[in-house]
Amino acid sequence: MSETTGPTEYEARAQKLDAVDELAAKRAEFVLDETVYLDGNSLGALSVAVPGRMADVVGRQWGELRIRSWTEGGWWTAPERIGDLIAPLVGAAPGQIVVGDSTSVNVFKALVAAVRMAGEGRDEIIVDAGTFPSDGYIAESAARMTGCTLRPVDPAEVPGALSGRTAVVLLNHVDYRTGRLHDLPGLTAAAHAAGALAVWDLCHSAGALPVGLDEHGVDLAVGCTYKYLNGGPGSPAYLYVRHDLQDRFDSPLPGWNSHAEPFGMRSAYEPAAGAVRGRVGTPDILSMLALEAALEVWDGVTAEAVRAKSLALTDFFLECVEAYVPEGRVRSLTPVAHEERGSQVALRCSGAGEVMKRLIERGVVGDFRHPDVLRFGFTPLYVGFADAERAARVLAEVLDEVPAGVPAQS
């Protein structure tokens, strides 16, 4: 801990920062307690609008209207309607996002469709070498099914790895372990210059920072909704298909919900027009409508305001960690440069598993990633500067108790 700057100075600064925070009032729209909740990058907090909405969906729409709710309750159009609510959060115009299925299923749809659109002679899929495991598993399976070679490449090295064989590049906008933000505009442009398509996984960026799908010409994108979008555990994911590609989008999962005449019950498949092509089977209505209610907290909020607070929060947290934590006990894996940082801070720490266990016991909830990483996610809609200061202070207290060199717990 610094000899010239004590905890009280940082506490006072946190109070002043919280007092002028334009997003501070949003905290009241979530169900929270005194816990410092820094795990919204895994599961967002519950919006106060959700329980009442779900009581209506279950009690009235399902309980009373029953089958009539597909039309009278708007169930049938929910995937596209909710997709249009997500669209401005990722920089997309309406009509390009459909909600449904899991991120993994949507990665599969996007990759196979991209290979089919890429055309003959393009038989290589490039995947982020440090990708979330599920994306890698799906990419490997998609490559086998399409006769492609799968090539893992570090995102920074993608431009040099592209060739006339490359069909599609699958990348994570933010690295789930380190919080590193990758260059979506530059890497998308590089893929296009090589004649390839770009598929982006937005799980750790949507709702935390501007994405700019339309602005940067992204071809396809996927993302979950239970992290920074606060849709609830297992809430449905989404698929973005750029307008001018929709008539060429050939889904490997052609279900009845994406048929041009879903109730025609024809044996031959004819895809619907637009983003509806991304649908497969019957939507998961309960979780989908919970997500719709959760998205109400974004009314009046811009991605730019969220980004500004996110950077200020993570800057302040890192400053507090540097001041409070003895030198050498932790090392940040998250880039200092704003243009390379998402909305989480990852600290490498000896005995990280035990450290996180004790942090949680003391009311600071983050998470641990094997073998030695502490992750702290900063959700600007409900995390404040006092939370950041307290988390750093409690971390220093816990590290005083856990000897350096304690092995990490799995």
Side-chain angles (χ1 to χ4, degrees):
M1 185 181 296
S2 168
E3 295 180 0
T4 58
T5 305
T8 54
E9 178 175 333
Y10 287 99
E11 290 172 0
R13 280 181 55 195
Q15 291 176 2
K16 291 179 180 178
L17 289 167
D18 281 331
V20 297
D21 173 20
E22 64 178 288
L23 295 178
K26 283 291 174 180
R27 184 182 178 98
E29 297 183 34
F30 292 89
V31 178
L32 296 166
D33 49 29
E34 296 305 309
T35 298
V36 175
Y37 188 64
L38 301 181
D39 210 4
N41 53 319
S42 285
L43 177 64
L46 173 66
S47 163
V48 297
V50 171
R53 183 68 56 82
M54 293 313 296
D56 177 71
V57 170
V58 173
R60 183 181 66 84
Q61 296 182 33
W62 181 13
E64 298 175 15
L65 294 179
R66 293 176 286 276
I67 197 70
R68 292 159 52 198
S69 285
W70 284 106
T71 53
E72 296 179 35
W75 289 4
W76 185 261
T77 57
E80 295 76 49
R81 183 178 71 247
I82 301 171
D84 284 347
L85 295 178
I86 293 172
L89 303 179
V90 293
Q96 299 176 101
I97 294 179
V98 64
V99 174
D101 305 311
S102 66
T103 305
S104 296
V105 171
N106 285 320
V107 168
F108 178 74
K109 295 178 204 172
L111 279 181
V112 175
V115 171
R116 290 173 175 177
M117 286 189 278
E120 294 184 10
R122 292 189 176 270
D123 59 357
E124 177 185 76
I125 296 174
I126 289 179
V127 64
D128 183 339
T131 191
F132 187 74
S134 245
D135 283 18
Y137 306 153
I138 294 293
E140 183 181 4
S141 179
R144 291 202 311 270
M145 294 179 66
T146 57
C148 287
T149 299
L150 183 66
R151 187 177 178 190
V153 176
D154 184 271
E157 298 173 0
V158 164
L162 292 160
S163 72
R165 291 185 53 197
T166 309
V168 57
V169 181
L170 171 63
L171 298 167
N172 293 272
H173 197 190
V174 174
D175 187 292
Y176 77 99
R177 294 159 304 179
T178 66
R180 176 177 291 276
L181 175 65
H182 294 133
D183 181 10
L184 182 146
L187 293 172
T188 299
H192 289 170
L197 285 84
V199 177
W200 285 90
D201 183 328
L202 310 178
C203 285
H204 286 268
S205 59
L209 52 91
V211 177
L213 293 179
D214 287 353
E215 177 186 358
H216 303 302
V218 169
D219 302 296
L220 301 137
V222 303
C224 67
T225 61
Y226 47 79
K227 300 182 189 297
Y228 296 107
L229 298 183
N230 310 299
S235 56
Y238 56 90
L239 170 68
Y240 164 90
V241 183
R242 201 177 68 223
H243 266 308
D244 61 307
L245 295 179
Q246 289 176 0
D247 62 349
R248 297 171 53 206
F249 182 81
D250 183 5
S251 175
L253 297 173
W256 75 285
N257 259 233
S258 62
H259 197 285
E261 292 186 51
F263 293 97
M265 302 303 168
R266 298 180 179 179
S267 57
Y269 179 73
E270 179 185 349
V276 176
R277 289 187 179 208
R279 293 174 67 156
V280 183
T282 304
D284 40 355
I285 290 298
L286 297 184
S287 57
M288 191 167 293
L289 297 185
L291 168 62
E292 184 173 33
L295 290 171
E296 291 178 3
V297 302
W298 291 95
D299 290 347
V301 177
T302 66
E304 289 72 22
V306 168
R307 177 59 167 167
K309 183 177 176 183
S310 164
L311 291 172
L313 278 169
T314 49
D315 278 345
F316 184 63
F317 176 70
L318 286 168
E319 185 180 351
C320 289
V321 168
E322 184 177 2
Y324 293 170
V325 174
E327 186 175 356
R329 290 303 308 272
V330 299
R331 179 170 66 85
S332 178
L333 300 178
T334 302
V336 173
H338 284 182
E339 64 271 18
E340 297 176 2
R341 186 194 310 168
S343 199
Q344 73 178 50
V345 172
L347 302 177
R348 177 157 282 165
C349 173
S350 176
E354 179 63 24
V355 169
M356 183 53 68
K357 176 183 176 182
R358 297 194 188 191
L359 281 169
I360 292 171
E361 289 171 351
R362 297 191 185 191
V364 175
V365 178
D367 67 17
F368 159 64
R369 284 293 177 265
H370 188 81
D372 58 0
V373 176
L374 303 171
R375 290 197 319 173
F376 301 95
F378 290 83
T379 304
L381 293 185
Y382 55 78
V383 173
F385 293 89
D387 294 322
E389 186 278 333
R390 179 180 159 196
R393 179 161 34 90
V394 175
L395 173 61
E397 294 170 359
V398 167
L399 289 173
D400 280 343
E401 302 170 0
V402 179
V406 171
Q409 303 299 309
S410 60

